[in-house]
Amino acid sequence: QQQVKQSPQSLIVQKGGISIINCAYENTAFDYFPWYQQFPGKGPALLIAIRPDVSEKKEGRFTISFNKSAKQFSLHIMDSQPGDSATYFCAASSYNFNKFYFGSGTKLNVKP
Amino acid sequence: DVKVTQSSRYLVKRTGEKVFLECVQDMDHENMFWYRQDPGLGLRLIYFSYDVKMKEKGDIPEGYSVSREKKERFSLILESASTNQTSMYLCASKFSPASGSGSYEQYFGPGTRLTVT
């Protein structure tokens, strides 16, 4: 059973627009929700992460919105730029877990 | 800065060959992981290790084995490479919950793109 479901699989956004990627999880024991950004030919790098004690976390143009009751979280990229074109993965884990559970990834293409 | 390095960025092997992929981390992390990444399938966990000589199967262990003789080094072994093992292989590491570090983060290496012909 897939523990973390991510959508959409791909996304095309115009420069300056807002990119939104959604994830849903099953296990209520998860208490750490990171987003990773991966450029072609590179390993994923941590972009931003949230704990469930807050509903939103913002770092520059990147915001995570978290809805604990719905077991959903999303990544918003404001003023999207061509340099944001990459694959984005959501994940879920817990401090007491050894493993991370990853979404299937979203390929973002920001058109100039 | 945490550094996770992988022995090769690109590798081409023939069907039936034994293949070794090596990963080294410099942050004294207890936990190390091997994933494979395929388009549309995301990251799938092959094996992970939570201590020297300790390992656990992930979601897709068939056709793979691992070795962890030193804390900083985790090797993935393809005993007899097959074409369906052509993929991007990613190594990662993190502190164990038992370490008391308080850190959740998992760090990835740059990946090895393996082609089996």
Side-chain angles (χ1 to χ4, degrees), chain A residues 16-71:
Chain A
I18 302 173
S19 305
I20 301 174
I21 305 170
N22 300 299
C23 283
Y25 64 95
E26 292 293 326
N27 192 335
T28 54
F30 291 145
D31 64 358
Y32 177 65
F33 302 91
W35 284 91
Y36 287 84
Q37 180 187 55
Q38 183 183 29
F39 293 106
K42 306 283 187 183
L46 178 66
L47 182 64
I48 186 173
I50 196 167
R51 300 283 313 281
D53 50 346
V54 296
S55 59
E56 186 174 282
K57 183 172 181 180
K58 187 175 181 179
E59 288 184 4
R61 295 184 294 108
F62 300 90
T63 300
I64 301 179
S65 297
F66 185 79
N67 185 331
K68 190 174 180 178
S69 60
K71 293 189 287 185

Side-chain angles (χ1 to χ4, degrees), chain B residues 1-108:
Chain B
D1 267 3
V2 175
K3 200 165 215 182
V4 180
T5 56
Q6 295 183 228
S7 51
S8 305
R9 294 299 308 277
Y10 301 94
L11 213 49
V12 179
K13 295 292 181 181
R14 294 192 183 276
T15 301
E17 277 194 79
K18 191 168 186 176
V19 182
F20 292 87
L21 303 182
E22 289 224 317
C23 174
V24 178
Q25 51 93 5
D26 67 357
M27 274 299 291
D28 204 32
H29 287 163
E30 294 82 11
N31 291 4
M32 296 187 74
F33 306 84
W34 275 107
Y35 295 90
R36 67 176 279 177
Q37 182 179 14
D38 300 288
L41 297 177
L43 276 68
R44 293 181 291 167
L45 182 64
I46 304 171
Y47 266 99
F48 76 98
S49 168
Y50 50 92
D51 203 347
V52 174
K53 297 190 187 292
M54 307 303 287
K55 62 185 178 186
E56 273 196 29
K57 292 180 180 179
D59 301 316
I60 52 163
E62 297 78 20
Y64 303 95
S65 62
V66 290
S67 172
R68 191 158 179 212
E69 297 296 319
K70 292 185 177 182
K71 189 176 185 180
E72 67 271 18
R73 191 178 297 268
F74 191 34
S75 301
L76 179 69
I77 303 152
L78 287 67
E79 296 290 342
S80 177
S82 63
T83 55
N84 62 15
Q85 292 178 310
T86 291
S87 186
M88 169 73 100
Y89 289 88
L90 292 164
C91 176
S93 71
K94 70 185 286 290
F95 283 113
S96 146
S99 72
S101 71
S103 170
Y104 287 74
E105 292 182 24
Q106 181 170 150
Y107 298 89
F108 284 88

